[in-house]
Amino acid sequence: MNKSPRKSLRTNTVPKPGARRATTAVLLALSASAAALVVPGPAFARASPGATAAVPPIRWGACPEAEPPYPAPSPKAQCATVKVPLDWSKPKGPKVGIFVARYRATDPARRIGVLMSNPGGPGAPGSDDALYADDPVSGYTPAMLQRFDMIGFDPRGIGRSQNAECDESIADSAPTRPRNAVEFERMRILNGQLADSCLKRTGPLAAHMDGESVARDMDAIRAALGESRISFLGHSYGTFLGERYARLFPGRLRALALDSAMDPSRPDAERYLTDGSVTIDNTLKRLAAWCEKDAACALKGKGLLKGKDLTAVTDELFARADAGTLRDPGPNGPTRTKVDADKLSDFLTFALGKGSPEATAEQLAALYTGKGEVNWVPTGTDSASRLVLCRDYDFRIRDYAQYLAIRKRAAQAAPHVRYNAQSLDTVLGCQGWTMPPKPGPVQAKGDLPPVLVANATHDLATPLPGARRMANSFPKASLFTMDVVGHWLYRRGGTEKAMRAIDTYLTNPEGRPEN
C-alpha cells in the first residue's frame, strides 16, 4: 500500500507523472463498546462468479486537460468513461462511471494485447499509467509501449470516477494512538461517524468500493475493449485487485504480474501488525550492520555507539521515552517537547522505510544527543483507504484490552521498534467502521497463467511474508525478490532489475521462445 498524508478525496485534476511509481473532546461512555461491534452496515448480496454486465464498446475521445502545475498528458493518450453497475449484485440497477485512459501500442504489427494496470493506494487514480505512459522517467520502456495497449483507470470512487467524499474534520479529531479504554472507544465512535459521513456525502457508492467490485469493473472494461483476455500489472494494493480478478475471471487473464504484493489470505489485525512490525525490526538490524561498517553512519562518526550496536541505541531511546525524559532535538540542544514511545515508533517506521541509511542515522544521532533535527511524519490513514481496506480485510478488535494484548505481542516480535506505524494506522482506522468487511469471492473455474510476484525483502507497506502467501495462493507462481529496502520495485533506478524481470514476464509469461 502507498502511504500518503491525509487529504481530501476530491481529485479533479490529472495528477503529475510519477504518482503511479511511487505515498487522521468529548468523553464517551464505555457502554458504547458493545454497540460499536454491532452497528449495522449496508447490506450486500453476492454477485455471480464470473458475471459481467453487458457493456457497449468504448467510445474514445480527447483526454481532459491537466490543471497547472501538472503537466499535460501524452498527446497520444485517449480517454473514455465506462458505465458499470454501482452494486454488482444488481447488474440492472444504478450505474457509476469509470474513467479509463488508453495509450495504444506503437508497433501494431507486434502488438500482444492489452496491459491493464493499477498503482494501488488504495485511493490513487490509475489513469496516469496510460496518460503518462511514454514519460521518460515514470513511464514504460519503449519496448513495452510497442507491444501493448496501456490501459489505466481510476477505480470507482477515486479521481474522475465519481469521487467519494467524507467529512475529514471527523478524522482529524479522532485519537490516532489511544492511550486508554475511553480513548479507544472515542476513536471507534468517531471512525463510525466518519464512515457515516462518507455514505451521506457520497451516497451508496461509498459502500461499494471494495476490491471485488473493482475487479468486476476491470472485466467490464475488458469487455468494452472487445478483448477476450488481458494482461495485468498491479502495484501495492493493485496486487490485491489482480488477485481478486484471478479469483473471479481466471480464464480471462493472459498474464498477471504483482509488484509489492498484499497478503491475500485476509490476515487479522494481529498478524497484519506483526508481519509489518517484524519487517521494520529487521530493517533496523540491517541499518545496524551498515552502521558498524560504514564511516558515513553519523552515530559512529560522532562516537555515540561506544561498543554498542544501533539496536541498543534505539532500546535506550525507548527507555528514555518510557521514562518521559526523551525530548525533541533542537539546533542548540533538547527542546521542551517530549517524545513518547509511540512517536518514536512512528518515526522509526517511516525513516527506516525510506531506505536512506545516512539520513536515518543522522536523525537517530539527533534524538540521542538532543541536538539536530528530526523529520516527524503525521500518523493516520486517509478516508479513501478506509473505504476500501475496511471492506476487504477484517481488522476488527474486540476492545481496548485485546488491543493492548496485540500491541504487546507485536512488540515482543519486534522489540527494537515495537510496531509498524503504517500497519497500525490501517488497523486502527477500521475500528468502529460501520460498513462491515465483505466476504471474499469464491474461486471461479478456469485455468490461470503462470503468475509473477515481485517484492523487496524489506518493504514496510507490503512485507515479504504477505508476498510469499500471494505467490502460494496460485497453482503456478514465481516469487522474484530483491534484497533492498523500499516499496514498489517496478521503476527505473536502483530496482530496474525487477522492472526488466516483470517486462520480460509480461511479454512472454509462458517463457517460450518468440518467433
Side-chain angles (χ1 to χ4, degrees):
M1 292 183 299
N2 301 331
K3 178 68 181 178
S4 59
R6 181 184 293 125
K7 58 183 180 296
S8 169
L9 293 182
R10 291 181 157 229
T11 306
N12 296 315
T13 59
V14 176
K16 60 184 178 180
R20 61 183 289 268
R21 305 286 185 220
T23 89
T24 349
V26 180
L27 295 178
L28 301 169
L30 290 178
S31 60
S33 60
L37 290 175
V38 295
V39 173
F44 57 84
R46 282 189 183 275
S48 301
T52 300
V55 182
I58 290 183
R59 299 180 62 181
W60 297 105
C63 292
E65 293 183 4
E67 296 182 10
Y70 302 124
S74 171
K76 296 180 181 179
Q78 299 170 298
C79 293
T81 297
V82 175
K83 293 287 186 179
V84 299
L86 186 150
D87 181 349
W88 274 100
S89 69
K90 301 174 182 176
K92 295 183 179 179
K95 299 295 191 288
V96 61
I98 305 300
F99 179 74
V100 183
R102 175 176 72 172
Y103 184 101
R104 303 194 74 171
T106 58
D107 188 349
R110 300 181 66 226
R111 176 185 181 274
I112 292 173
V114 160
L115 177 59
M116 195 179 297
S117 61
N118 181 271
S127 53
D128 285 24
D129 278 18
L131 293 172
Y132 300 105
D134 56 5
D135 182 83
V137 175
S138 66
Y140 293 95
T141 63
M144 288 293 284
L145 294 175
Q146 289 175 352
R147 308 300 301 276
F148 291 97
D149 288 355
M150 302 302 178
I151 303 295
F153 66 99
D154 292 357
R156 51 173 55 211
I158 304 299
R160 297 182 184 272
S161 295
Q162 195 170 325
N163 221 351
E165 187 176 350
C166 306
D167 185 352
E168 299 299 330
S169 66
I170 298 174
D172 293 336
S173 61
T176 57
R177 297 290 180 265
R179 296 168 294 180
N180 51 52
V182 173
E183 286 194 358
F184 189 80
E185 294 310 319
R186 180 169 177 262
M187 174 195 69
R188 288 211 303 200
I189 291 173
L190 288 171
N191 284 349
Q193 292 176 0
L194 176 63
D196 292 344
S197 80
C198 300
L199 283 167
K200 183 178 180 180
R201 295 189 177 196
T202 304
L205 174 64
H208 296 281
M209 291 173 58
D210 57 278
E212 179 184 342
S213 296
V214 176
R216 293 184 183 279
D217 296 345
M218 289 163 52
D219 202 58
I221 296 170
R222 175 204 60 78
L225 290 168
E227 300 284 335
S228 60
R229 295 192 303 167
I230 63 168
S231 299
F232 181 78
L233 171 58
H235 311 279
S236 194
Y237 176 76
T239 65
F240 186 86
L241 297 178
E243 187 270 345
R244 281 292 178 260
Y245 191 87
R247 273 187 179 274
L248 293 163
F249 310 104
R252 296 172 188 169
L253 273 169
R254 174 193 162 272
L256 179 61
L258 306 174
D259 167 28
S260 304
M262 297 280 289
D263 188 337
S265 61
R266 205 176 178 89
D268 61 12
E270 182 165 350
R271 195 178 82 189
Y272 184 79
L273 179 61
T274 301
D275 280 355
S277 302
V278 170
T279 296
I280 295 298
D281 206 68
N282 288 337
T283 305
L284 179 68
K285 293 173 185 175
R286 178 190 177 102
L287 180 68
W290 167 82
C291 193
E292 185 177 350
K293 296 182 293 185
D294 201 311
C297 175
L299 288 157
K300 184 176 182 179
K302 296 178 182 178
L304 300 177
L305 294 178
K306 299 178 181 177
K308 301 177 290 188
D309 74 0
L310 189 143
T311 59
V313 170
T314 61
D315 291 346
E316 185 177 334
L317 290 173
F318 274 113
R320 289 162 58 184
D322 290 338
T325 59
L326 185 63
R327 298 290 191 272
D328 193 357
N332 301 311
T335 67
R336 301 175 70 177
T337 304
K338 289 185 178 182
V339 176
D340 63 17
D342 279 321
K343 193 170 184 179
L344 181 56
S345 286
D346 295 344
F347 160 74
L348 286 169
T349 295
F350 298 112
L352 291 166
K354 289 179 179 178
S356 173
E358 294 87 355
T360 302
E362 185 70 37
Q363 292 179 81
L364 282 171
L367 274 171
Y368 194 82
T369 63
K371 190 173 182 178
E373 184 178 5
V374 171
N375 296 323
W376 304 107
V377 177
T379 58
T381 188
D382 58 66
S383 299
S385 293
R386 302 189 207 204
L387 283 165
V388 177
L389 293 176
C390 300
R391 293 283 270 158
D392 286 337
Y393 289 85
D394 191 350
F395 293 135
R396 290 174 293 186
I397 297 173
R398 182 180 62 253
D399 52 26
Y400 184 68
Q402 185 185 22
Y403 169 66
L404 282 184
I406 290 172
R407 282 277 304 264
K408 181 178 180 180
R409 289 190 289 269
Q412 289 170 343
H416 304 300
V417 299
R418 299 196 178 178
Y419 63 76
N420 178 315
Q422 182 169 339
S423 301
L424 187 59
D425 285 342
T426 301
V427 165
L428 291 178
C430 290
Q431 304 312 308
W433 201 251
T434 54
M435 289 171 263
K438 183 176 179 179
V442 297
Q443 177 68 56
K445 293 181 180 179
D447 294 330
L448 279 164
V451 175
L452 178 63
V453 179
N455 222 83
T457 54
H458 298 270
D459 186 332
L460 80 94
T462 54
L464 186 57
R468 290 195 177 109
R469 295 185 193 109
M470 179 67 89
N472 290 336
S473 71
F474 295 102
K476 295 183 291 183
S478 300
L479 177 61
F480 174 94
T481 62
M482 289 190 70
D483 187 20
V484 295
V485 178
H487 182 58
W488 196 315
L489 293 180
Y490 192 84
R491 63 178 186 271
R492 292 180 171 91
T495 58
E496 196 165 4
K497 179 180 178 181
M499 189 177 187
R500 290 195 298 269
I502 293 172
D503 285 351
T504 299
Y505 161 79
L506 288 169
T507 304
N508 190 3
E510 300 287 347
R512 298 180 181 135
E514 289 196 65
N515 294 329

